[in-house]
Amino acid sequence: MLPHATLSFTFLSTLAATALGHGMVTSFKTDGTQHQGFILDYYYAKVNKQKVPDIAAWYAENLDSGFVAPNAYQTSDINCHKNASPGTLTASVAAGGTVQFNWPATWPHPYGPILTYVAKCSGNCTQADKNSLRWVKIQEAGINLSTQKWASQDLIDNKGVWTVKVPKSLATGNYVFRHEIIALHGAGSLNGAQNYPQCFNIQITGSGTANPTGVLGTQLYKNTDPGIYLNPYTTLKSYTIPGPALFSG
Ligand SMILES: *[C@@H]1O[C@H](CO)[C@@H](O)[C@H](O)[C@H]1NC(C)=O
Ligand SMILES: *[C@@H]1O[C@H](CO)[C@@H](O)[C@H](O)[C@H]1NC(C)=O
């Protein structure tokens, strides 16, 4: 009885995970400390009026195949995914330290860049208003033009693990980290790209003082950006990574 029940449950869970999407960072690490990511179970817990665990990852309702389309770039959903709201906890990382984002090991889209932004909160990020967060890009990876290998393929080769170094000069304080894959397999059509943004409350410690100016989420991208609307099924001679300039620290 029990093994059978367990098997069915696993089977159904696998089906659900496949059908409901792959677009989530299921866990993350700050300077090696593991934290829970937001998973769909928490959405259903909320709908069923059950307790949602306290986590530093943001809540979001990416229930379908889990992306924000370019025709929603000028809506608040581009910040931290659909109907997002702040996590209730805050993780911590040292300036100069690392944040590791764990996507599903079987990320299915090998075409597209991977980007990471931070936005400083005016107070506690657990109270952040996503519409006033100003994003500073701290990491970007597009395509290696000599091998034609995308950052997304590197992610797949690395079994879903993506590690970002936090610029050492960034001012201490409370930040929302916004980590994002832009899948380009459908980007030959206008509005065919797929953005998978994920947000996390992370306090940066250390002695940095740099407060670079960021941009509002609705100003990050346009659906006609050359790095968003392009045919990926050709040998690319150049690629313009979407979004504002990189803050290298
Ligand atoms: C942020 O707010 C939460 C409750 O929402 C509280 O538990 C936490 O201590 C606060 N953190 C800081 C750094 O003020
Ligand atoms: C592109 O890939 C080649 C082969 O792996 C590597 O030697 C080269 O450094 C890469 N170029 C960039 C810009 O990363």
Side-chain angles (χ1 to χ4, degrees):
M1 282 287 281
L2 194 58
H4 190 163
T6 307
L7 191 76
S8 306
F9 178 75
T10 306
F11 178 66
L12 286 174
S13 302
T14 306
L15 273 187
T18 307
L20 290 172
H22 35 252
M24 281 161 205
V25 170
T26 53
S27 68
F28 68 106
K29 285 185 182 177
T30 53
D31 287 335
T33 301
Q34 176 95 358
H35 308 280
Q36 179 64 48
F38 179 81
I39 55 175
L40 271 182
D41 294 9
Y42 303 158
Y43 165 76
Y44 292 110
K46 185 184 171 194
V47 169
N48 293 320
K49 304 205 176 350
Q50 290 161 355
K51 177 144 176 59
V52 178
D54 286 319
I55 55 172
W58 279 46
Y59 170 92
E61 297 181 355
N62 32 322
L63 304 181
D64 46 19
S65 57
F67 58 87
V68 178
N71 56 14
Y73 284 170
Q74 275 68 53
T75 74
S76 61
D77 284 350
I78 191 60
N79 286 289
C80 296
H81 224 311
K82 293 180 182 164
N83 296 326
S85 57
T88 51
L89 299 182
T90 301
S92 179
V93 70
T98 57
V99 180
Q100 175 187 308
F101 301 100
N102 299 315
W103 294 89
T106 52
W107 183 256
H109 305 304
Y111 299 89
I114 298 182
L115 318 159
T116 307
Y117 299 80
V118 296
K120 202 170 189 186
C121 300
S122 49
N124 195 331
C125 292
T126 60
Q127 319 290 324
D129 168 15
K130 62 191 172 191
N131 296 309
S132 58
L133 292 173
R134 290 189 168 270
W135 301 106
V136 173
K137 192 195 272 171
I138 61 164
Q139 176 270 318
E140 62 180 13
I143 187 171
N144 181 323
L145 293 171
S146 54
T147 60
Q148 294 289 303
K149 195 175 165 198
W150 288 94
S152 291
Q153 182 63 56
D154 290 333
L155 177 79
I156 293 165
D157 293 349
N158 210 24
K159 300 192 167 38
V161 176
W162 191 266
T163 303
V164 174
K165 187 175 190 305
V166 179
K168 199 168 175 74
S169 61
L170 267 184
T172 57
N174 293 322
Y175 290 82
V176 179
F177 278 59
R178 178 183 183 278
H179 176 60
E180 178 180 47
I181 300 174
I182 306 179
L184 297 178
H185 54 284
S189 309
L190 190 64
N191 297 315
Q194 302 181 346
N195 292 58
Y196 296 84
Q198 301 275 284
C199 290
F200 312 86
N201 298 332
I202 304 177
Q203 179 190 34
I204 297 179
T205 63
S207 54
T209 54
N211 280 299
T213 307
V215 302
L216 295 173
T218 50
Q219 295 167 353
L220 286 172
Y221 311 123
K222 294 194 298 296
N223 64 352
T224 52
D225 284 347
I228 297 282
Y229 179 32
L230 74 158
N231 174 15
Y233 304 107
T234 180
T235 302
L236 295 182
K237 297 196 173 58
S238 67
Y239 178 68
T240 308
I241 297 178
L246 181 70
F247 172 73
S248 57

